[in-house]
């Protein structure tokens, strides 16, 4: 059995840990409110943008379409994955689920003979993935969480499009944790290059609109812009999810620490009681033997 | 035919304005156009300029840095890259931003896309300043 002193130290350290996790939970909860608003505020824009791109895409000929829309080739031989993770840890399975998904996807694609490259947004994803995939990570963006602006998304998109022109990958996917509620995030894969075919049953524009200027001209600007929009969406969704995940994880940690403290206190008191009893026994038996 | 239509002004960062309107005037890439209820369906690219919501003395103006408009008979949506309402413009902050854009633009060499970006920032600052002047003129009249 552990000594009383060791138990006392352990109780103190668990109490401190509980204090810290409680504080982190509060911080995450406060941040969650803000980033949740931001994620929800972004949805009308990106949804509308998606519909508009697809309405225009349906009107142009696939064969003559720009590569951002039609893709360079029918097969996906060279693929870029953009991974969104947090800059910091201590948020449950938030980072690890994204990383695990990317790992298995890379293995799958490589087994199929595709050439895969990665863009990491967020420090954690880069830290873990570079151990295994250092040679295929092309770009790393860190500190995005502190600078959640559309300008930042445009910057990431600019790098991505630069690579698209230079390296000529056929397809680009993004992976991020979409925000559902503070408790739940769903890992989402989304193809951003080329623009995916319209889903069945998706809402479409009522009647074919006139375009000003011509479709091709609009698309030439709209498509790169859409890449930035999709990246921005992933950024804000991922940020909201991160804070939700951290809040939940810290809440669990606070509860676990509470349970652990209760068990430690019981052990501590029992041990103390046992020590006192032993001492008493020794005193009593000592005085008994003096009497006799 | 109804006399109003649903008008939404959205940026990537938020839903700026959503209301029933009688008329908006939009800076299209090929010239300003007015939207009234029952307008023919149209998708248009927007130029940098001034978006006017409503008409006459009740109009509200926005400085807009480009984007896209989707017009349907009963619903018009503006997807703006950047937009500022004329009563929210702080001329000093805009002037500082313009100054920065000018300096940054001069510092860029050999990168067309990048220097173009700063030129746009500078032009947008000019639009903001002129819209702000209109706002002051209206408030004082």
């Amino acid at each position: 059995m552990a000594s009383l002193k060791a138990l006392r130290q352990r109780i103190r350290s668990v109490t401190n840990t509980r204090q810290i996790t409680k504080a982190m939970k509060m911080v995450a909860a406060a941040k969650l409110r803000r980033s949740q608003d931001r994620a929800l505020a972004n949805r009308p824009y990106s949804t509308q943008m998606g519909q508009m791109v697809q309405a225009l895409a349906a009107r142009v000929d696939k064969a003559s379409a720009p590569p951002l829309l039609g893709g360079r080739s029918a097969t996906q031989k060279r693929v870029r994955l953009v991974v969104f993770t947090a800059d910091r840890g201590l948020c449950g399975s938030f980072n690890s689920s994204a990383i695990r998904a990317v790992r298995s996807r890379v293995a799958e694609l490589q087994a199929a003979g595709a050439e895969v490259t990665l863009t990491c947004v967020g420090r954690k994803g880069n830290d873990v993935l570079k151990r295994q995939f250092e040679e295929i990570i092309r770009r790393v963006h860190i500190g995005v969480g502190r600078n959640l602006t559309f300008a930042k998304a445009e910057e990431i998109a600019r790098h991505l499009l630069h690579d698209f022109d230079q390296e000529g990958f056929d397809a680009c996917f993004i992976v991020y944790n979409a925000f559902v509620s503070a408790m739940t995030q769903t890992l989402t894969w989304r193809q951003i290059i080329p623009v995916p075919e319209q889903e069945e049953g998706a809402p479409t524009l009522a009647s074919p609109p006139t375009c000003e200027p011509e479709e091709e001209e609009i698309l030439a600007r709209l498509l790169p812009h859409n890449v930035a929009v999709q990246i921005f969406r992933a950024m804000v969704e991922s940020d909201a999810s991160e804070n939700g995940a951290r809040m939940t994880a810290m809440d669990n940690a606070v509860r676990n620490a509470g349970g652990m403290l209760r068990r430690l206190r019981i052990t501590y008191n029992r041990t103390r009681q046992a020590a006192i009893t032993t001492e008493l026994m020794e005193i009593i038996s000592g005085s008994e033997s003096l009497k006799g | 035919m109804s006399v109003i239509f649903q008008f939404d002004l959205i940026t990537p960062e938020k839903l700026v304005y959503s209301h029933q309107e009688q008329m908006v005037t939009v800076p299209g890439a090929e010239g300003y156009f007015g939207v009234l209820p029952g307008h023919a369906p149209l998708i248009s690219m927007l130029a940098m300029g001034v978006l006017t919501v409503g008409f006459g003395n009740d109009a509200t103006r926005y400085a807009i840095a480009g984007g896209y408009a989707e017009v349907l008979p009963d619903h018009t949506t503006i997807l703006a890259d950047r937009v500022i309402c004329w009563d929210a413009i702080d001329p000093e902050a805009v002037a500082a931003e313009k100054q920065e854009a000018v300096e940054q633009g001069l510092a860029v060499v050999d990168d067309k896309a990048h220097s173009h970006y700063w030129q746009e920032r500078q032009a947008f600052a000019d639009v903001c300043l002129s819209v702000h002047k209109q706002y002051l003129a209206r408030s004082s009249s």
Side-chain angles (χ1 to χ4, degrees):
Chain A
M1 186 161 288
S3 75
L4 278 176
K5 195 176 171 205
L7 276 171
R8 258 200 311 274
Q9 274 170 351
R10 185 117 177 78
I11 287 175
R12 201 179 317 137
S13 95
V14 174
T15 316
N16 287 342
T17 309
R18 187 174 64 170
Q19 276 297 328
I20 293 168
T21 52
K22 208 182 248 172
M24 285 183 76
K25 181 192 149 191
M26 300 300 216
V27 172
K31 282 189 180 166
L32 175 66
R33 283 273 293 286
R34 279 234 318 278
S35 50
Q36 183 178 349
D37 289 347
R38 203 156 27 197
L40 297 182
N42 169 257
R43 282 186 188 167
Y45 188 94
S46 37
T47 316
Q48 192 75 24
M49 180 61 79
Q51 279 177 26
M52 203 150 97
V53 170
Q54 288 185 328
L56 284 168
R59 291 160 55 98
V60 294
D61 186 17
K62 274 272 165 197
S64 64
L68 275 176
L69 181 64
R72 285 217 173 78
S73 61
T75 52
Q76 301 188 343
K77 275 283 157 227
R78 314 176 70 191
V79 181
R80 169 68 65 98
L81 305 180
V82 184
V83 193
F84 289 84
T85 53
D87 282 337
R88 293 179 303 144
L90 290 179
C91 42
S93 60
F94 176 82
N95 289 320
S96 55
S97 66
I99 291 165
R100 200 175 328 118
V102 168
R103 262 204 199 117
S104 64
R105 190 57 161 271
V106 170
E108 209 174 280
L109 287 166
Q110 282 177 338
E115 186 190 319
V116 189
T117 49
L118 296 176
T119 298
C120 293
V121 182
R123 178 182 287 124
K124 279 287 159 182
N126 180 46
D127 284 354
V128 180
L129 288 169
K130 79 176 172 205
R131 282 185 226 140
Q132 197 177 350
F133 301 122
E134 182 146 33
E135 66 283 359
I136 63 169
I137 295 180
R138 288 285 180 276
R139 303 234 176 233
V140 180
H141 300 275
I142 286 172
V144 173
R146 265 172 294 140
N147 185 15
L148 274 182
T149 54
F150 190 65
K152 189 71 191 172
E154 279 178 324
E155 186 193 318
I156 298 174
R158 208 165 53 222
H159 288 308
L160 190 66
L161 292 170
H162 178 82
D163 291 355
F164 180 71
D165 288 337
Q166 297 295 311
E167 296 176 18
F169 43 84
D170 303 314
C172 175
F173 293 87
I174 54 179
V175 56
Y176 64 95
N177 283 286
F179 180 79
V180 183
S181 70
M183 307 284 287
T184 9
Q185 306 86 37
T186 44
L187 195 69
T188 308
W189 286 93
R190 196 180 283 273
Q191 180 176 334
I192 56 171
I193 304 174
V195 174
E197 302 275 326
Q198 191 153 14
E199 291 160 32
E200 291 286 325
T204 45
L205 295 178
S207 62
T210 27
C211 294
E212 202 178 290
E214 294 298 309
E215 289 97 331
E216 282 79 9
E217 234 176 289
I218 297 190
L219 278 173
R221 269 209 42 204
L222 185 60
L223 289 170
H225 184 69
N226 183 47
V227 171
V229 170
Q230 298 296 337
I231 287 178
F232 186 65
R233 176 189 194 160
M235 269 163 51
V236 290
E237 292 265 343
S238 177
D239 180 59
S241 302
E242 178 196 336
N243 286 321
R246 180 167 294 123
M247 192 178 92
T248 319
M250 287 302 114
D251 189 48
N252 283 336
V254 171
R255 221 166 299 154
N256 285 344
M260 194 185 263
L261 271 182
R262 217 168 23 248
R263 283 193 303 278
L264 279 173
R265 288 221 176 89
I266 289 169
T267 321
Y268 175 74
N269 288 340
R270 288 230 177 95
T271 317
R272 199 172 61 109
Q273 199 65 58
I276 293 169
T277 315
T278 324
E279 266 171 42
L280 272 177
M281 296 265 282
E282 276 165 7
I283 295 166
I284 292 167
S285 60
S287 64
E288 285 293 322
S289 64
L290 281 179
K291 261 189 225 160
Chain B
M1 180 67 63
S2 67
V3 294
I4 48 170
F5 61 94
Q6 178 63 33
F7 174 70
D8 294 331
L9 176 60
I10 323 177
T11 70
E13 272 143 23
K14 68 178 189 218
L15 181 66
V16 178
Y17 182 77
S18 172
H19 204 260
Q20 306 271 319
E21 285 299 335
Q22 287 177 293
M23 178 181 175
V24 292
T25 308
V26 184
E30 296 180 348
Y32 279 79
F33 60 89
V35 179
L36 292 165
H39 195 287
L42 169 77
I43 289 183
S44 173
M45 217 153 90
L46 302 185
M48 187 172 291
V50 184
L51 171 73
T52 311
V53 179
F55 54 85
N57 282 334
D58 296 334
T60 311
R61 286 167 202 265
Y62 294 86
I64 182 170
Y68 305 88
E70 187 191 333
V71 181
L72 294 174
D74 56 353
H75 194 158
T76 292
T77 313
I78 304 270
L79 301 174
D81 301 344
R82 274 184 80 191
V83 67
I84 304 184
C85 185
W86 65 355
D87 60 11
I89 295 171
D90 174 1
E92 280 169 24
V94 173
E97 199 171 310
K98 181 180 170 183
Q99 182 66 28
E100 193 207 339
V102 172
E103 283 165 12
Q104 293 279 1
L106 288 176
V108 176
V109 272
D110 285 351
D111 188 345
K112 264 205 175 135
H114 203 187
S115 79
H116 180 69
Y117 168 78
W118 288 114
Q119 278 168 15
E120 289 216 324
R121 288 282 292 265
Q122 196 183 326
F124 184 61
D126 284 334
V127 174
C128 288
L129 289 175
S130 79
V131 173
H132 183 67
K133 269 193 200 126
Q134 292 174 18
Y135 177 63
L136 293 181
R138 192 203 64 157
S139 340
S140 61
S141 68

